[in-house]
Every structure is written in structure tokens, then in C-alpha cells.
């Protein structure tokens, strides 16, 4: 309980300094950092991912088990990038190595994503524990969203929206995800990353199953030799 209170206090008043000016970030009341924030922190550490830049005017980050999409705005400049990451699974080690790849999105697409997020009304949907009837489980996918807009900061999560029958908020999240994927043309980046993964077996962070590539015996022997020589 004490650690939870400390965590809440930490996010209610995040303080940074930029050019000697004090910037105070306030966590929105419909956010929820009690459980999923620690998993996000572990991902950042495991894959050496960037922390949220509190000095920017606007930051949106969408977290999934194997990637994070980030859109930022500072003054008149908008940018977007998507970072994919996996663990190598080797013998009995599920974290034998890591592979991380960043893709910068074109400025035109970044601007379209920013405009959509700002006008989507997503920020009015509370984190799932504040939505009556939202079910929880163990085997689904939890979507995590962070938004820093001015001095306001939100951290919200939604467990498997597609199984939440009859909830308008779940339908809104599904539509929100679909539009982001379409506007950002994200499928092509996911396919490109998958083709570039160098490991014969790997696992996305937060998932319980291993993905294995089909290799010939010759390819597998070569990989083992290369791995020994690292």
C-alpha cells in the first residue's frame, strides 16, 4: 500500500526544469498507474527505450507487447516514430538477447496522426478500471496510452477491448486503434520488422509464447556458429 501511495504521489506531481522554468505535470484523475506502469518501466529498461520527454509541448505514446508508437509536437514541428522490440529465446533463456528497430514516419503522416488524436475525443475515455462492466483477464492484450498535453499527463490502459461486449468505450478504443493503424500505415512497418528479426526463435515482451522461424539444418548450424563467435 505504501509503495502504491508513493507511485501515485510521484505521478501527480512530476517536475522538470527547462531553461530555469519550472514545469509541473498533473496526472489526470481518470488515469491508472498502479499496475501497468511497472511493466512499461521494465520494457524501457530491458530494451533501452526512450523515456517520455516532458519538455515537449505534446507527446502521445501507444504501447503494445512488441512496439511503441510515439507522436510528438513542439511549437510547429510534428514527428512520429514506431519502435519494435523482441527478446531472443535460446535454450532455456527467454531473454538471451534483444533486437530493437526504430522507424521514423513521414512528416505528412505524423501530422495526420497528431490531428486525429487531438480531435478523436479519446482523452475523454477513462482507464478501464473506471469503466463499469469492463472485464479483466490474463491471456489478452493490454493497450497502454500516455498523453502529455501541456502540463497534463494521462496514463491509461485497456485490457482486450474486443472481448468487452456491449461497452461503447470498448468500441471507441477499437475504432481509435484501427484509425491510428490506417493513418500511420503501420502494418508495413510491422511486416518489415518481422522480416529483419535475426533470431530463429523470439518472443514479444509481455507475451507467453515463442515464435519460431523455419530454418534449414544448414542455416541453423550457421546461426549457432555465429552466435558462439559473438
Amino acid at each position: 500500500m505504501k509503495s502504491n501511495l508513493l507511485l501515485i504521489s510521484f505521478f501527480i506531481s512530476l517536475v522538470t526544469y527547462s531553461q530555469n522554468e519550472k514545469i509541473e505535470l498533473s496526472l489526470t484523475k481518470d488515469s491508472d498507474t498502479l499496475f501497468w506502469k511497472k511493466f512499461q518501466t521494465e520494457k524501457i529498461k530491458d530494451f533501452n527505450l526512450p523515456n517520455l520527454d516532458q519538455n515537449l509541448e505534446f507527446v502521445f505514446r501507444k504501447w503494445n507487447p512488441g512496439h511503441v508508437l510515439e507522436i510528438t509536437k513542439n511549437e510547429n514541428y510534428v514527428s512520429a516514430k514506431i519502435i519494435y522490440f523482441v527478446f531472443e529465446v535460446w535454450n532455456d533463456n527467454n531473454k538471451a538477447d534483444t533486437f530493437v528497430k526504430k522507424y521514423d514516419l513521414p512528416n505528412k503522416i505524423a501530422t495526420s496522426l497528431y490531428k486525429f488524436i487531438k480531435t478523436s475525443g479519446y482523452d475523454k475515455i477513462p482507464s478501464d478500471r473506471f469503466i463499469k462492466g469492463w472485464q479483466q483477464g490474463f491471456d489478452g492484450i493490454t493497450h497502454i496510452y500516455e498523453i502529455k498535453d501541456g502540463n497534463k499527463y494521462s496514463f491509461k490502459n485497456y485490457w482486450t477491448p474486443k472481448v468487452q461486449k456491449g461497452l461503447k468505450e470498448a468500441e471507441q478504443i477499437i475504432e481509435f486503434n484501427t484509425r491510428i493503424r490506417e493513418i500511420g500505415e503501420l502494418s508495413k512497418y510491422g511486416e518489415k520488422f518481422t522480416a529483419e528479426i535475426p533470431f530463429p526463435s523470439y518472443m514479444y515482451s509481455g507475451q507467453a509464447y515463442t515464435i519460431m522461424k523455419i530454418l534449414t539444418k544448414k542455416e541453423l548450424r550457421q546461426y549457432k556458429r555465429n552466435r558462439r563467435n559473438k
Side-chain angles (χ1 to χ4, degrees):
M1 178 64 71
K2 184 177 180 180
S3 62
N4 287 345
L5 291 174
L6 288 173
L7 185 59
I8 294 172
S9 298
F10 176 73
F11 282 102
I12 288 178
S13 183
L14 292 171
V15 178
T16 60
Y17 292 87
S18 175
Q19 298 178 347
N20 298 321
E21 181 179 358
K22 185 176 180 180
I23 302 173
E24 183 174 330
L25 299 184
S26 299
L27 185 70
T28 59
K29 292 181 179 179
D30 59 356
S31 295
D32 181 12
T33 65
L34 293 181
F35 184 76
W36 287 104
K37 183 64 182 178
K38 67 178 182 179
F39 289 98
Q40 182 217 42
T41 301
E42 288 174 2
K43 286 182 182 180
I44 291 173
K45 181 179 178 181
D46 287 338
F47 298 100
N48 194 28
L49 302 173
N51 286 295
L52 183 143
D53 188 342
Q54 298 179 31
N55 293 306
L56 295 175
E57 173 187 332
F58 175 89
V59 183
F60 169 85
R61 300 208 294 181
K62 179 181 182 296
W63 293 84
N64 284 83
H67 68 265
V68 55
L69 171 69
E70 180 179 89
I71 297 100
T72 64
K73 180 178 183 294
N74 212 34
E75 296 181 348
N76 294 321
Y77 183 72
V78 179
S79 65
K81 61 186 176 186
I82 187 165
I83 305 174
Y84 287 89
F85 41 88
V86 292
F87 288 117
E88 179 188 21
V89 177
W90 190 253
N91 294 330
D92 295 327
N93 188 351
N94 290 340
K95 296 183 178 182
D97 201 353
T98 60
F99 180 65
V100 181
K101 192 80 174 183
K102 182 188 77 168
Y103 303 97
D104 293 315
L105 277 60
N107 182 258
K108 183 177 180 180
I109 288 179
T111 301
S112 296
L113 283 169
Y114 170 75
K115 289 180 178 178
F116 168 69
I117 291 165
K118 289 288 288 185
T119 59
S120 66
Y122 157 76
D123 58 317
K124 295 180 174 61
I125 305 174
S127 197
D128 65 12
R129 79 184 183 100
F130 299 109
I131 300 174
K132 185 177 180 180
W134 196 288
Q135 302 298 313
Q136 301 293 330
F138 299 99
D139 298 329
I141 295 177
T142 297
H143 301 270
I144 296 174
Y145 306 84
E146 292 180 276
I147 295 183
K148 178 208 177 291
D149 195 351
N151 68 341
K152 293 183 180 180
Y153 174 72
S154 67
F155 187 97
K156 302 176 183 179
N157 46 80
Y158 306 91
W159 181 80
T160 316
K162 68 180 181 180
V163 304
Q164 313 297 332
K165 303 301 182 183
L167 291 183
K168 65 177 183 179
E169 294 90 349
E171 294 173 359
Q172 290 171 332
I173 291 297
I174 291 170
E175 176 62 21
F176 182 70
N177 289 341
T178 299
R179 292 293 295 134
I180 284 179
R181 187 166 57 251
E182 292 173 347
I183 295 170
E185 300 177 2
L186 302 184
S187 295
K188 67 180 181 182
Y189 296 104
E191 293 171 1
K192 186 175 182 181
F193 175 74
T194 299
E196 294 178 333
I197 294 173
F199 310 136
S201 57
Y202 59 92
M203 178 184 293
Y204 286 98
S205 176
Q207 294 189 339
Y209 58 87
T210 299
I211 300 170
M212 300 184 69
K213 292 183 178 180
I214 299 175
L215 300 179
T216 65
K217 290 182 179 180
K218 182 179 179 180
E219 289 172 332
L220 185 56
R221 285 197 301 269
Q222 182 63 50
Y223 181 80
K224 289 179 178 179
R225 282 196 296 270
N226 292 342
R227 203 178 189 287
R228 284 196 298 268
N229 293 330
K230 280 186 178 181

